[in-house]
Amino acid sequence: MGPRSRVRAAKCQMLVTSCFVLLLGLLLAAVAALAHFGAHFAVLRRVSPEGSPYEALHRWAFFAGVSLAALLGLGAVLSAAAAVREAGRLMAGGFLCFALVFCALVQVTFWRLRNPTQVEDAALDAYDLAYDQAVRSSPGTGRQELLAIQDTFLCCGKSSPSSLLGGAEADLCPGEEAASQDCLQGIRSFLRTHGRVVSILASVGLASMVYAMLLSSFLWFAICSSRSLDRKGTYALSPRARGQQPQEPSFFRFSQGEPALHQLEDLGPSRRSGGPRLLQDH
C-alpha cells in the first residue's frame, strides 16, 4: 500500500470515526438529559435542600455531560470537514476537542474509581432526610415528597436500625406495589445500573478518543507536509504576470517585418557607433 492509499484509507476511517463520535456525543447528551430531567433523579432533587451534596453532584453531572457532548459533536464536525477539505487548521481544532474530551474522561474515570459510592451516598442521604421529616412532622407536610419517591422507585420505607416507626411504616406505603422492596435497596440498585451505563460510555469514549487523536494527528501531518493527498491547493498567477504575454528578448524583436535593435537606441552617443562591433564581438 502506497502513501496515497494510506492517506485515503485514513481519511475514510476519519469520516467513519467522526460519525461514531457524533453518535457517542448524542448518547452522552441523552444520558445527561435523563439524569437532569428524569423522574427518578428529579424526585430526589426536589427533596434535597439547597446546597446539599446531591444537588451539587446533580448539577455537576448535567453540565459535565452537556459540555462533553458539545465537545464531541464539535470535534466530529471539524475532523470530518478537515478530512473532506484537507484543511490543517480544522484538523488541529478537531484534535484539540478530542484531547479535551480525553482528559475529561480520564478525570471522570479516576473519580469513579476513587469514589465509587459518592453518588449513592448523596442520594440515600437525601432520602433519609425526606423520610425523617415525613415521620417526625405532622401528617401531610412532608409525606407528599416521600410518597412521590416511593411511587417512583416502587419501594416502601427502609429497613435500617434508625427507623423510628417500626411496624407503623405501613402507613407510609399505601400501595401493594410500593411495598415490594426497601427504598434504600431500590435507590441503590437504580443508581448502580445508571453508573454502569456511564462507565461503559466513558470506556468507549476513551478508546474512541485515542483512535481519533491518532487519525487526526496523522492526517494533520500529511496535510501540512503536502504528501500523498488526492488534491492540493490551486495555483495562482502573480499580479505581475497575470494577463501578460511572454516577451522575447529585445535583441530579437521585429517591427513591421524589419529587425530593429531597440537596445541600441538606449546606448549613449559614444557607444552608438560601436554597437555593431559589440554585436559582432558577442
Side-chain angles (χ1 to χ4, degrees):
M1 182 182 291
R4 181 179 294 273
S5 301
R6 285 196 296 267
V7 173
R8 186 176 302 172
K11 289 164 66 175
C12 295
Q13 292 177 21
M14 176 56 73
L15 292 177
V16 175
T17 305
S18 299
C19 294
F20 180 77
V21 168
L22 185 61
L23 179 61
L24 184 64
L26 293 177
L27 288 176
L28 191 58
V31 171
L34 178 64
H36 188 74
F37 301 105
H40 294 79
F41 295 97
V43 72
L44 289 174
R45 183 170 54 90
R46 283 197 295 267
V47 300
S48 300
E50 188 175 355
S52 62
Y54 179 79
E55 185 183 8
L57 286 173
H58 189 266
R59 190 185 304 113
W60 175 84
F62 175 71
F63 285 114
V66 171
S67 301
L68 288 177
L71 282 176
L72 285 173
L74 181 61
V77 172
L78 289 178
S79 59
V84 173
R85 300 179 57 185
E86 298 173 5
R89 294 182 179 179
L90 293 180
M91 190 65 71
F95 178 84
L96 180 61
C97 293
F98 295 147
L100 290 176
V101 173
F102 177 79
C103 295
L105 289 178
V106 168
Q107 292 290 332
V108 171
T109 305
F110 178 76
W111 173 76
R112 286 280 300 168
L113 292 176
R114 189 171 182 179
N115 304 298
T117 61
Q118 185 174 359
V119 179
E120 297 178 13
D121 295 340
L124 294 178
D125 289 342
Y127 175 77
D128 287 337
L129 181 61
Y131 185 85
D132 292 340
Q133 288 179 354
V135 298
R136 288 180 181 180
S137 60
S138 59
T141 48
R143 293 198 175 189
Q144 300 260 339
E145 291 81 4
L146 183 63
L147 292 178
I149 296 175
Q150 294 180 161
D151 292 340
T152 303
F153 287 94
L154 299 178
C155 60
C156 176
K158 58 178 183 178
S159 59
S160 63
S162 60
S163 179
L164 299 177
L165 294 182
E169 287 181 348
D171 297 338
L172 299 175
C173 307
E176 296 181 358
E177 267 186 1
S180 60
Q181 65 175 341
D182 180 15
C183 279
L184 298 179
Q185 295 295 329
I187 295 173
R188 186 179 289 111
S189 63
F190 174 79
L191 291 178
R192 285 180 179 176
T193 302
H194 192 269
R196 282 193 291 269
V197 173
V198 173
S199 299
I200 292 174
L201 287 178
S203 302
V204 174
L206 284 173
S208 302
M209 292 306 100
V210 171
Y211 189 65
M213 285 190 295
L214 290 176
L215 281 178
S216 57
S217 60
F218 171 75
L219 288 175
W220 183 82
F221 281 115
I223 292 172
C224 292
S225 60
S226 304
R227 292 175 55 188
S228 303
L229 294 178
D230 294 338
R231 58 179 179 82
K232 196 55 186 171
T234 58
Y235 294 95
L237 294 175
S238 61
R240 184 178 60 182
R242 187 180 300 157
Q244 295 182 3
Q245 298 293 333
Q247 297 181 356
E248 297 179 354
S250 58
F251 283 102
F252 301 98
R253 292 181 193 165
F254 292 86
S255 62
Q256 298 179 358
E258 297 181 1
L261 301 178
H262 297 282
Q263 293 245 347
L264 294 178
E265 297 177 1
D266 299 334
L267 297 175
S270 59
R271 300 180 60 184
R272 187 174 299 174
S273 59
R277 186 167 54 252
L278 291 175
L279 289 175
Q280 293 174 3
D281 293 341
H282 288 284

